């Protein structure tokens, strides 16, 4: 069974945890050996956008950080507490590409089970062309779909989302990579 | 800013954490005062189904546990590591209602920002009527939409998802509660 087993110590009291099945549960959890607190580990959401200019070009960012430094991606990152999926997607688009967009509907929900992640991309319309790379991007550029650097994309979820948009299918893409 | 601040101690070494902004970040995180490890806290997904019998009735569970013990809900629970959204929705439907369903498409994605959650419900078709309450349910029953106990529903996300299905709208419901 997939597990990250991130806990060696209790986040509440600092004593050792052990991985065991609580009596009312059906899988192993990090349980504190002293205060008995249970620490759950659950999948996280990565949220982003596929930003389109009015001429049909798509905005991509070349990554300045690992993993996949130097490869092209859609603006996306971990959803944070205190925001909605949509707000997180807008924030990441601003942070990574300096771009202002208008969200137009959910485009893809892609399970990345081995990473414990769900990737959620909105289709978005670029409100202007005044974008600029943020600290996590080397460059930001617009590509016609025929010009996308398909062999230099950072992640399978980015490829699947771009291919879904290129195919022009209106329905939400739900898949696993 | 919303934060759960779940960490008092480091999950890696057990020493004290402090909440401060790492140099390459823009929000406060739990940072270990000794080993410097950063512990991130992110929203979690609650996944479930709206199970429909072939006669149009919807399956609801009456909760045996807090919060909202005694109130009616759709089968749903926290998505686990090692599964997709769809697999989690099927598992919760089995665990809480003893029901076997076929998934038919994503019905709702509802942000519950104050709880740090995203609720995701699939529309589903009951494969048979051999359901039975699991340990977290007092009873499981089928309701025509006109008979749903609207005043005794457990959660706003359940109400919004049921109302969306009743309205017969084909598109994904995306909203916040
Ligand atoms: Zn403890
Ligand atoms: Zn530490």
């Amino acid at each position: 069974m997939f597990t990250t087993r991130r806990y060696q110590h209790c986040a509440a009291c600092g004593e050792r945890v052990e991985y065991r099945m609580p009596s009312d549960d059906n899988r192993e959890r990090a349980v504190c050996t002293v205060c008995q607190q249970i620490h759950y580990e659950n999948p996280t959401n990565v949220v982003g956008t596929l930003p389109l200019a009015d001429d049909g070009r798509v905005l991509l960012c070349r990554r300045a950080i690992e993993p996949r430094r130097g490869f092209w991606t859609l603006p996306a990152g971990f959803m944070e507490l205190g925001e909605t999926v949509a707000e997180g997607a807008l924030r990441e688009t601003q942070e990574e590409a300096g771009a202002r967009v208008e969200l137009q509907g959910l485009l893809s929900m892609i399970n990345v089970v081995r990473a414990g992640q769900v990737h959620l991309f909105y289709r978005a319309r670029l409100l202007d062309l005044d974008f600029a790379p943020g600290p996590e991007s080397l460059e930001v550029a617009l590509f016609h779909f025929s010009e996308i650097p398909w062999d230099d994309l950072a992640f399978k979820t980015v490829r699947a989302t771009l291919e879904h948009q290129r195919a022009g299918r209106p329905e939400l893409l739900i898949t696993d990579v």
Side-chain angles (χ1 to χ4, degrees), chain A residues 21-101:
Chain A
M21 198 177 301
S23 60
D24 59 347
D25 208 332
N26 53 23
R27 64 187 67 207
E28 294 194 339
R29 311 286 184 185
V31 182
C32 180
T33 55
V34 175
C35 79
Q36 304 300 320
Q37 186 164 323
I38 302 170
H39 302 285
Y40 295 92
E41 293 158 85
N42 297 91
T44 49
N45 292 333
V46 170
V47 297
T49 62
L50 187 152
L52 290 166
D54 288 342
D55 65 3
R57 286 182 296 171
V58 58
L59 178 148
L60 297 176
C61 307
R62 203 155 69 85
R63 286 174 64 80
I65 55 171
E66 297 295 347
R68 303 293 277 161
R69 186 176 196 278
F71 289 83
W72 292 91
T73 189
L74 292 166
F78 286 106
M79 184 181 176
E80 299 280 1
L81 291 173
E83 68 187 9
T84 65
V85 173
E87 289 166 349
L90 289 172
R91 177 183 50 74
E92 289 289 343
T93 305
Q94 172 65 45
E95 286 180 4
E96 299 195 349
R100 298 187 313 119
V101 296

